[in-house]
Amino acid sequence: MALVKISEILGGDCTDKQVSVRGWVYRKRQGKELIFLVVRDATGVIQCTVKKANATAWAEAEKLTIESSLTLEGVAKPDTRAPGGYEIAAEAVSIIGLAEVFPIAKDKSEEFIRDMRHLWLRSRKMNVVMDVRAKVLEYSREYFRKTCFTEVSPPMFISAAVEGGSTLFGLKYFDQTLYLTQSSQLYLEILIYSLENVYCIAPSFRAEKSRTIRHLTEYWHMEAEWPFADMNDLMKFEEGLMEHICKRTAEDCQKEFAELGADISKLAQVQVPFPRITYAEAIDRLKAKNSALKWGDDLGYEDEKLLAEEFGKPFFVYDYPKAIKAFYCKTRRDQPEIALSVDMMVPRIGEISTGGQREEDKDQLIQRMKEQELKPEDYEWYLDLRRYGTVPHVGFGMGVERLLVWMLDLDNIIDAIPFPRTTRRFYP
Ligand code: 4AD
Ligand code: MG
């Protein structure tokens, strides 16, 4: 008998054939003559019916509890009443692992479900989100490969801050203090001197107290860095990457979006070139919406959302005041108050990436460090990159979970990662 995946049956590949599926009981309803089971595997759920007339299968099905694992054999038939349009008329049921009473039920609170993350990940919603997440990472890698980038593996333990002390996690490392990396950027910058175009998809850590739908303390960061490039090259690359990810997702993930009730049509609107506005223009636009922001202020979540409403799709904001950007940002030689930095924003989430041109001049870089009260001696190796064959270069970092929250219309970033870490959540 053919062992099949549920998606093969739902795709019409097994109609009227004898099949065997392996999975878990998702739902169960027992009538007088018929037991209805909804069985799930990694690829979907299917309704199965067990008739009382089949005494052996009936006895086994009667014992089944929610989340018991099983093998079920029978004939796959189209049935318009069944969710998904197919049903298995079971002939044999065999229990693999009989489950105790499953703690997650409809009446449970959100907090309870979060404590049960290890079990909640079996829900269809989480199953589908994690599936799309893996595909989005795959499409990203596809694009990096197509554009001749090499994937590299930076360290997570680091000795000096990348993004400013306030969100830095310190840790005891034998008898010294180290930090968890906030971004792999500085290490990617090292690697451009040999591999040139490099990227990584790795965790970043932020001691971030903000409790918003867009903040985690541990998130996955897609970062790239490359030499001989400027701001225009950077924005072109980033928009190309986004267009590719959205196009591939729109082609490949229609069923997943339908199951989640997410709007897939917005992905088709993601086409290069993206709108680009300067920070100064962003401030003017916000002022026109009665915002009290003035030039020099950092854009907050509410400001970014307000701006993004006007565009309804991804766009760039560039040329920020240098005072609100990191020490490594190159400043405009004709306007030294402006940092060559760019954020990509999307509706509902605001910022999903930050990138820019890096300061390649050693003296300027030291000057920037001092302005931000950083000690150049903590960054000797970083300064060496400017001593030996310095080169103009650019890079960016995009939050994988923020991207997914936007793509999949998720209510909260914690649903975009299997094991979310926030100020109060680190279990399981
Ligand atoms: O804007 P950030 O801090 O920029 C950097 O770290 C640069 N060094 C990246 C680079 O140029 N290589 O972070 C980049 C992105 C943000 O735009 C956001 O999408 C995500 O990382 N991010 C977070 N995602 C979830 N939770 C948090 N607490 C995040 N902080 C940043
Ligand atoms: Mg940023």
Side-chain angles (χ1 to χ4, degrees):
M1 177 153 328
L3 186 62
V4 299
K5 285 291 171 193
I6 289 172
S7 59
E8 296 175 62
I9 304 176
L10 300 178
D13 296 342
C14 308
T15 305
D16 297 322
K17 287 192 189 133
Q18 193 83 21
V19 294
S20 169
V21 293
R22 274 195 311 226
W24 292 264
V25 177
Y26 199 54
R27 310 236 184 280
K28 178 179 172 182
R29 187 161 53 83
Q30 181 157 357
K32 271 211 179 96
E33 300 294 325
L34 214 53
I35 294 175
F36 285 93
L37 298 172
V38 175
V39 172
R40 61 169 188 87
D41 70 6
T43 67
V45 294
I46 189 156
Q47 177 169 297
C48 308
T49 52
V50 185
K51 287 200 176 113
K52 197 167 191 178
N54 181 339
T56 327
W58 180 267
E60 196 80 342
E62 267 199 311
K63 281 187 256 168
L64 280 171
T65 47
I66 299 298
E67 286 304 314
S68 292
S69 50
L70 77 167
T71 304
L72 183 142
E73 293 171 11
V75 177
K77 297 185 306 188
D79 188 323
T80 48
R81 292 161 304 176
Y86 287 86
E87 181 179 277
I88 305 177
E91 286 162 15
V93 176
S94 149
I95 297 174
I96 298 171
L98 190 64
E100 295 178 23
V101 177
F102 197 60
I104 298 179
K106 278 218 169 76
D107 59 340
K108 299 296 188 205
S109 72
E110 203 148 292
E111 279 301 297
F112 176 82
I113 288 175
R114 287 179 189 177
D115 286 335
M116 291 286 145
R117 189 69 172 188
H118 50 299
L119 301 177
W120 177 239
L121 286 166
R122 304 174 181 201
S123 65
R124 278 305 294 166
K125 176 181 172 181
M126 295 313 295
N127 191 328
V128 173
V129 172
M130 293 311 139
D131 201 29
V132 175
R133 179 186 167 104
K135 288 183 174 148
V136 164
L137 294 179
E138 220 174 278
Y139 307 144
S140 312
R141 289 196 165 93
E142 239 168 48
Y143 192 77
F144 281 117
R145 204 172 315 127
K146 199 168 83 171
T147 48
C148 300
F149 274 69
T150 302
E151 184 165 7
V152 297
S153 309
M156 303 293 107
F157 286 143
I158 53 155
S159 52
V162 189
E163 293 300 326
S166 67
T167 62
L168 198 57
F169 273 117
L171 65 99
K172 200 168 151 296
Y173 189 79
F174 306 109
D175 50 4
Q176 295 185 52
T177 299
L178 287 190
Y179 309 99
L180 289 174
T181 195
Q182 298 163 303
S183 157
S184 299
Q185 177 194 323
L186 308 191
Y187 291 87
L188 296 188
E189 284 185 65
I190 298 178
L191 290 161
I192 65 167
Y193 290 83
S194 52
L195 295 164
E196 300 194 14
N197 305 352
V198 293
Y199 78 100
C200 67
I201 302 176
S204 279
F205 304 87
R206 305 280 170 115
E208 189 81 71
K209 292 228 171 77
S210 339
R211 293 225 301 268
T212 71
I213 69 154
R214 62 177 204 172
H215 285 99
L216 293 165
T217 53
E218 175 181 332
Y219 70 97
W220 283 71
H221 207 167
M222 177 150 63
E223 298 187 88
E225 201 72 31
W226 65 105
F228 313 112
D230 63 14
M231 288 291 277
N232 186 44
D233 300 322
L234 172 63
M235 287 188 252
K236 278 181 106 163
F237 183 89
E238 275 200 72
E239 66 192 11
L241 170 68
M242 267 298 264
E243 185 187 65
H244 178 81
I245 294 171
C246 293
K247 186 164 167 275
R248 295 284 285 119
T249 307
E251 285 164 4
D252 250 26
C253 300
Q254 285 163 14
K255 271 189 256 161
E256 289 83 349
F257 273 63
E259 193 168 348
L260 293 170
D263 168 31
I264 202 163
S265 72
K266 67 178 172 301
L267 302 184
Q269 292 162 27
V270 180
Q271 283 173 2
V272 303
F274 290 7
R276 298 178 184 186
I277 59 168
T278 60
Y279 164 89
E281 188 180 339
I283 295 289
D284 287 344
R285 283 177 181 241
L286 287 166
K287 275 187 186 155
K289 292 177 183 274
N290 298 323
S291 161
L293 274 190
K294 51 186 190 319
W295 199 96
D297 293 341
D298 206 354
L299 302 179
Y301 179 25
E302 295 305 322
D303 307 314
E304 292 175 2
K305 268 198 297 194
L306 206 56
L307 263 186
E309 269 173 20
E310 289 181 29
F311 292 96
K313 58 182 182 184
F315 63 101
F316 290 115
V317 180
Y318 67 100
D319 275 5
Y320 282 81
K322 74 168 177 184
I324 58 171
K325 289 290 175 181
F327 71 93
Y328 51 70
C329 290
K330 182 169 175 169
T331 48
R332 279 184 67 150
R333 296 302 184 243
D334 58 341
Q335 280 173 275
E337 287 313 304
I338 303 283
L340 293 166
S341 181
V342 56
D343 282 9
M344 190 192 291
M345 306 208 181
V346 295
R348 220 165 55 80
I349 315 302
E351 175 193 335
I352 62 165
S353 90
T354 292
Q357 198 155 338
R358 319 310 190 184
E359 182 51 71
E360 78 256 26
D361 179 85
K362 180 176 58 83
D363 299 329
Q364 295 268 358
L365 188 57
I366 292 172
Q367 178 60 29
R368 296 272 294 141
M369 286 174 175
K370 288 182 176 161
E371 282 167 18
Q372 302 208 355
E373 287 166 22
L374 296 168
K375 290 189 232 140
E377 57 272 27
D378 288 345
Y379 296 89
E380 269 309 315
W381 62 256
Y382 192 63
L383 293 169
D384 272 351
L385 306 178
R386 278 73 186 166
R387 288 188 182 105
Y388 307 110
T390 193
V391 63
H393 62 288
V394 297
F396 70 92
M398 183 180 289
V400 171
E401 291 77 19
R402 285 196 189 179
L403 172 64
L404 288 166
V405 171
W406 173 68
M407 291 179 80
L408 290 170
D409 301 336
L410 299 176
D411 293 332
N412 195 313
I413 196 163
I414 64 172
D415 286 335
I417 185 164
F419 305 104
R421 266 65 177 120
T422 62
T423 42
R424 292 174 310 146
R425 287 266 152 212
F426 30 80
Y427 172 91

